[in-house]
Amino acid sequence: MINGSDNAVASGATDPRAVEQWLKAGVRVVNHPWLHAKVYVAGRTAIIGSANVSERARTGRIVEAAIRTTDSETVAEVREFIDDLIRGGGRDIDGDWVKAAKRLFPTKRVAPPWEPTPPPLTAPFRLWLGWWNAEPRGMSPVQENTYKAAVGELPPTYRVRARYEPDGRIEGLDADGFFQRGDMVVMLQARNAQLVEFWESRLAGQGRQKSIVGVYLRDNRLKRSVTNADVRRALEAVGSELPEEEEPDFGRWLDQPAERQAVLDLWGLEDPGEP
């Protein structure tokens, strides 16, 4: 099993030429795009450590550590761990993957830095439910430049590409410092709701022209169409309700487990809890 994500290949971390050799030798190769574990099983032996199957690890250019065990219970658990990964998100690699990966793989000796694809929402996060302006439009030139500068500094994984897309919002000055990076936000708009991750707030302009541009990230895997009415019904089912638009801060934190899960269910997510 390898990390055959576009990021891993484009950075040079995964070499499709080596994968092609395995396929030609009859080896089954499985791609898991979130893989970071270094676990190996051969017969009755398991190795768990930090080393990749790479030239740098082989030649000792970097310091690695690993544990080698023949304990039958441990080896069985390691095999089960690998099987679970295959069942949970693995896809068999074929010749079509090799062709596409070769186009992504860097031909220069110096590969770009690897920006690992972020994992699913498994880390605990705070969850805010509130009302927003319907669309991220109407920015002044100063606000637009501030937003573009913020997007230009995002890691490559978060820029406009297949999985993530940045979203800019004009907000009041009191919004500065309200959210923390990693907070999740349910934006109630004119009709539809969207779930986004807060990235940062930036001050735009000077003097009386100051404003805050909020930068959020949309995960394009969450393509379910969710309306405000859907959110309202989900909350009513657990004895709660939508915040009023005139409430302080135009919303509230969802801190009750039943509320959080009811809302996250609309996007097919399990609640990992609060930090």
Side-chain angles (χ1 to χ4, degrees):
M1 179 180 292
I2 65 167
N3 183 333
S5 65
D6 288 354
N7 290 326
V9 174
S11 70
T14 299
D15 190 336
R17 298 168 299 183
V19 176
E20 186 177 33
Q21 291 179 3
W22 294 341
L23 292 176
K24 288 180 178 178
V27 177
R28 180 191 180 192
V29 184
V30 179
N31 172 24
H32 195 296
W34 319 120
L35 184 68
H36 192 254
K38 286 79 173 177
V39 179
Y40 311 94
V41 179
R44 299 179 181 178
T45 301
I47 301 173
I48 306 168
S50 64
N52 292 302
V53 180
S54 67
E55 185 68 13
R56 288 200 305 169
R58 185 185 70 82
T59 57
R61 295 178 185 174
I62 52 178
V63 178
E64 304 282 7
I67 295 175
R68 178 178 179 272
T69 180
T70 56
D71 177 76
S72 59
E73 184 175 347
T74 302
V75 173
E77 289 178 353
V78 172
R79 287 188 181 277
E80 183 177 0
F81 170 75
I82 295 173
D83 289 340
D84 286 345
L85 285 179
I86 294 174
R87 289 191 294 267
R91 290 190 176 183
D92 282 89
I93 278 178
D94 56 18
D96 290 338
W97 178 92
V98 172
K99 291 178 182 178
K102 283 183 176 180
R103 291 193 291 268
L104 286 174
F105 190 72
T107 55
K108 298 180 181 179
R109 295 187 62 184
V110 180
W114 182 37
E115 292 288 346
T117 303
L121 298 175
T122 55
F125 54 79
R126 301 192 303 170
L127 182 60
W128 175 264
L129 173 66
W131 296 92
W132 255 258
N133 49 302
E135 295 292 340
R137 61 188 177 213
M139 288 188 181
S140 68
V142 172
Q143 293 166 336
E144 184 70 26
N145 289 337
T146 300
Y147 173 64
K148 288 181 178 179
V151 171
E153 294 174 14
L154 288 172
T157 303
Y158 292 102
R159 296 177 192 165
V160 180
R161 54 172 53 203
R163 179 174 176 186
Y164 286 96
E165 185 175 350
D167 186 356
R169 301 282 167 152
I170 305 169
E171 301 172 344
L173 291 175
D174 57 351
D176 190 24
F178 187 81
F179 292 124
Q180 302 172 10
R181 184 169 294 179
D183 286 345
M184 300 301 296
V185 177
V186 178
M187 289 184 171
L188 302 170
Q189 301 169 121
R191 181 178 180 275
N192 294 322
Q194 65 174 339
L195 180 65
V196 296
E197 178 184 352
F198 173 76
W199 183 258
E200 68 172 331
S201 292
R202 290 213 174 186
L203 183 65
Q206 297 179 345
R208 295 182 179 179
Q209 303 299 318
K210 288 192 298 185
S211 61
I212 294 295
V213 175
V215 180
Y216 300 83
L217 302 171
R218 291 198 301 268
D219 187 339
N220 288 326
R221 296 177 312 159
L222 307 178
K223 290 187 178 297
R224 300 187 182 195
S225 178
V226 177
T227 66
N228 295 345
D230 293 330
V231 180
R232 174 178 55 79
R233 285 191 291 266
L235 290 173
E236 288 177 348
V238 294
S240 185
E241 59 185 2
L242 290 178
E244 298 292 337
E245 291 190 55
E246 60 269 17
E247 280 188 16
D249 302 319
F250 304 99
R252 61 186 175 87
W253 292 105
L254 296 182
D255 51 15
Q256 297 301 314
E259 283 186 315
R260 289 171 57 96
Q261 189 58 67
V263 171
L264 293 174
D265 276 341
L266 297 172
W267 283 275
L269 297 174
E270 288 292 329
D271 181 16
E274 294 187 277

